[in-house]
Amino acid sequence: MQRSLQRKTPLFDALMNYIHEETIPFHVPGHKQGRGNEFLASILGKTTLAMDLTCLEDLDNICNPKGVIKEAESLAAAAFGAENAFFLVNGTTCGIQAMIMSVCNPGDKIIIPRNAHKSAIGGIILSGAHPVYIEPEIDPFLGIALAITPEKVQKALELHPDAKAVFVINPIYYGIAPNLKEIVNVAHSYNVPVIVDEAHGAHLSFHEDLPLSAMEAGADLSASSTHKLIGSLTQSSMLLHQGNLIDPEYIKSVLNLTQTTSPSYILLASLDIARREIALYGRERIDKAIKLAEKAREELRKIEGLYILDNSILDGHSRYAFDPTKLVINARDLGFSGYEIERILRKKYHIQLELSDLYNIIALVTIGDDESTINTFVKALKEIVSGRQVNKVVRYFVDLPKISEQQVLPRDAFYGETRIIPLEEAEGEISAEAIMAYPPGIPIICPGERITKEIIEYIQLLHSEEAQLQGTQDPQVKNIKVLNQRLVLLQNQADSIQNENVG
Ligand SMILES: Cc1ncc(COP(=O)(O)O)c(C=O)c1O
């Protein structure tokens, strides 16, 4: 990366030039740079509305960039150590779908951890891919699915050498990262590309104490949430590419299937600026975030009964590396559920976490934090747990439900003949929908899988903890869509795809 070049912001500059030329707009958006919506302009600011433009001759076109978007994408590719970067304005979801559709035609196999985000299941449905799930190891204390290992990828590829890609999450929501370099070596020895969900890893290549980024590890494609951790506006992300296993021109064609033709230039400009800032000042800003998180860890470790995730969990396998900016805190020995702590923090202290689950909470420490935000968080948490005795009266002894057998491909289940029934009566049926707590958005059941008693009971427990459940057509997530042809017609397909999960 050439530092002096990274000072440039071609896309942002072109946008500002357009505004300063005071061109009279006879084009969309119809508010015409704020004039048609003065109320919104008074809230967001006149400049923001003036910047709310979409593809125009001087501003390039996202469907086939040749001008300032292309220039900005090239600078981003250099900053992130990629050969090509594609700007995304439909979130990392759109990037993940595009990654899967770039490597899989209908029926093609993809090796993928079962704890992938719902956007990956969406990509599988859209592409018609055949998922071969890797069952990640579960951490029984934290109650979470961990990272996948090179050994499991090797085993999956031995069984399915015809797979078109290996999908990896780097890192998982809780900050734990896999041995991505070795996974890439294994996959590439089969000539199979590695595509990476880096929704929680946009910052990785900018600090040596963080796990390796997908591009550093030699992966072929990664969907990176610039907006989540490194300062661009919500919904703006990047797809990063390198190597010759996936054709970048084909990626562009796929993106043109799903990405809007009217990208917000506010979002695009924010990508250009966030890239400049992280390329020039990323190391020092991330260093500060790591130190702040370490400080919080040090304070919280003093509280008996709290368990704080750190490098001591690393085992060289499914806990290969850890992102220290993720404050993952577990209070099960004090009898708290994560949901309960999140509610108290929000209601009493006006502190909003990134995620809670049955056992844990995650507080993200980012380039936007400082001493005062960290001190307030630590003080509040100390107050909440101060009255509790460590008695190991664990509130729940519930394991994550066992991953159910895949009976039908997700796309066939999604488009199959279905009916909607109460969840409590759905044992034994094949689901046509996914259900997940959001966040983290990891499906508890996926379309095409058989619904078990354990899964129903787990969802009921999440209901009782007021977890934010979603995925079903029924907004209350009390009813579920299941396939009509429960056993007979599906038997042939089921025979061919059952029991292929790699455990
Ligand atoms: C692991 C993971 N992948 C993908 C996504 C999708 O990202 P986006 O919300 O930018 O579409 C998320 C969102 O939280 C996520 O947690």
Side-chain angles (χ1 to χ4, degrees):
M1 173 179 83
Q2 208 179 322
R3 199 176 157 86
S4 59
L5 279 183
Q6 291 295 327
R7 294 189 190 286
K8 294 168 93 181
T9 47
L11 202 165
F12 171 69
D13 296 350
L15 184 57
M16 294 320 269
N17 282 346
Y18 188 89
I19 294 171
H20 292 141
E21 278 169 5
E22 296 186 1
T23 307
I24 302 166
F26 279 93
H27 56 69
V28 294
H31 63 69
K32 300 215 169 174
Q33 298 184 282
R35 287 185 281 270
N37 193 340
E38 284 179 10
F39 180 63
L40 194 60
S42 73
I43 294 166
L44 297 182
K46 282 194 166 157
T47 312
T48 313
L49 279 239
M51 287 170 73
D52 187 30
L53 297 167
T54 190
C55 300
L56 295 165
E57 184 152 351
D58 293 343
L59 299 181
D60 207 359
N61 193 307
I62 200 163
C63 301
N64 190 22
K66 291 179 179 156
V68 288
I69 295 181
K70 183 140 190 87
E71 236 187 289
E73 288 180 338
S74 299
L75 286 165
F80 287 85
E83 285 168 29
N84 297 289
F86 301 87
F87 282 1
L88 308 172
V89 291
N90 296 20
T92 301
T93 293
C94 154
I96 287 176
Q97 292 169 350
M99 287 202 301
I100 295 174
M101 290 164 79
S102 295
V103 289
C104 286
N105 290 338
D108 283 344
K109 287 181 185 167
I110 182 166
I111 294 168
I112 181 164
R114 181 52 181 74
N115 56 336
H117 183 257
K118 65 182 253 192
S119 54
I121 305 307
I124 285 170
I125 291 172
L126 290 172
S127 64
H130 172 162
V132 172
Y133 290 121
I134 292 189
E135 292 187 19
E137 190 193 333
I138 306 291
D139 183 305
F141 182 76
L142 296 170
I144 62 169
L146 299 166
I148 57 169
T149 60
E151 292 75 22
K152 285 197 180 177
V153 171
Q154 171 82 42
K155 194 168 153 196
L157 282 165
E158 274 165 18
L159 293 171
H160 305 277
D162 53 339
K164 295 293 187 232
V166 173
F167 184 102
V168 186
I169 312 159
N170 186 51
I172 61 166
Y173 223 128
Y174 300 80
I176 297 168
N179 183 350
L180 189 52
K181 202 168 185 173
E182 197 44 40
I183 290 175
V184 170
N185 287 342
V186 170
H188 283 181
S189 72
Y190 286 80
N191 217 24
V192 170
V194 176
I195 62 177
V196 184
D197 174 349
E198 239 168 15
H200 300 285
H203 59 322
L204 296 182
S205 53
F206 298 96
H207 198 287
E208 65 285 0
D209 291 346
L210 298 175
L212 280 190
S213 73
M215 290 299 113
E216 287 170 321
D220 302 86
L221 257 183
S222 90
S224 170
S225 286
T226 327
H227 71 94
K228 285 198 200 294
L229 294 177
I230 54 171
S232 67
L233 294 180
T234 296
Q235 273 187 231
S236 63
S237 293
M238 291 186 201
L239 196 53
L240 304 172
H241 165 262
Q242 66 185 356
N244 50 19
L245 291 181
I246 305 172
D247 176 2
E249 296 305 330
Y250 187 63
I251 299 171
K252 195 177 70 183
S253 306
V254 172
L255 276 173
N256 277 328
L257 294 179
T258 56
Q259 179 129 270
T260 175
T261 49
S262 312
S264 152
Y265 270 69
I266 300 176
L267 298 188
L268 290 175
S270 83
L271 281 171
D272 204 20
I273 292 172
R275 181 271 312 152
R276 183 187 69 173
E277 295 293 293
I278 205 77
L280 297 178
Y281 315 112
R283 197 198 167 280
E284 67 202 65
R285 290 183 188 169
I286 293 167
D287 199 60
K288 182 176 158 210
I290 292 174
K291 290 199 169 110
L292 287 170
E294 282 307 337
K295 184 178 169 227
R297 252 185 218 99
E298 241 174 76
E299 284 300 308
L300 294 171
R301 265 190 214 110
K302 293 179 194 156
I303 305 172
E304 220 197 330
L306 279 192
Y307 172 75
I308 326 290
L309 206 61
D310 59 22
N311 276 342
S312 64
I313 51 131
L314 300 184
D315 64 357
H317 299 284
S318 49
R319 304 165 183 86
Y320 187 78
F322 179 63
D323 170 3
T325 64
K326 310 270 190 301
L327 269 182
V328 182
I329 299 159
N330 177 299
R332 63 187 280 176
D333 284 352
L334 294 171
F336 280 106
S337 78
Y339 297 119
E340 193 179 359
I341 297 185
E342 172 164 5
R343 269 195 300 276
I344 303 171
L345 279 170
R346 184 172 56 239
K347 296 216 164 109
K348 188 161 171 208
Y349 296 92
H350 304 292
I351 291 173
Q352 178 60 57
L353 294 170
E354 169 64 16
L355 171 150
S356 61
D357 63 26
L358 278 179
Y359 302 115
N360 312 290
I361 59 171
I362 304 181
L364 292 185
V365 183
T366 74
I367 54 175
D369 279 293
D370 58 27
E371 296 269 344
S372 80
T373 58
I374 298 298
N375 292 343
T376 309
F377 172 71
V378 170
K379 187 164 171 272
L381 201 55
K382 277 183 176 170
E383 260 182 51
I384 292 171
V385 299
S386 64
R388 292 274 182 138
Q389 297 296 313
V390 183
N391 51 16
K392 308 246 173 196
V393 179
V394 177
R395 178 144 156 180
Y396 298 113
F397 273 113
V398 197
D399 289 330
L400 283 176
K402 216 171 146 335
I403 294 165
S404 181
E405 283 165 16
Q406 187 183 195
Q407 304 285 318
V408 184
L409 295 185
R411 182 192 183 100
D412 294 341
F414 187 83
Y415 289 116
E417 249 185 64
T418 56
R419 65 191 194 285
I420 293 178
I421 60 171
L423 181 64
E424 66 217 26
E425 292 167 19
E427 184 182 349
E429 302 286 348
I430 296 164
S431 182
E433 297 182 304
I435 296 184
M436 75 264 338
Y438 210 102
I442 299 166
I444 301 158
I445 181 93
C446 271
E449 290 176 350
R450 195 179 290 289
I451 302 163
T452 61
K453 186 161 177 261
E454 201 188 355
I455 286 170
I456 297 170
E457 285 173 357
Y458 189 78
I459 293 168
Q460 283 165 342
L461 173 64
L462 293 181
H463 269 305
S464 72
E465 275 292 324
E466 296 174 37
Q468 296 295 316
L469 290 168
Q470 56 169 257
T472 51
Q473 227 165 274
D474 168 19
Q476 307 308 325
V477 196
K478 299 276 185 190
N479 297 297
I480 186 163
K481 202 193 269 183
V482 298
L483 287 185
N484 274 347
Q485 316 103 307
R486 181 168 166 183
L487 287 173
V488 190
L489 285 178
L490 301 168
Q491 202 54 49
N492 285 348
Q493 195 180 16
D495 284 348
S496 67
I497 63 174
Q498 251 184 46
N499 299 326
E500 60 182 16
N501 289 0
V502 180

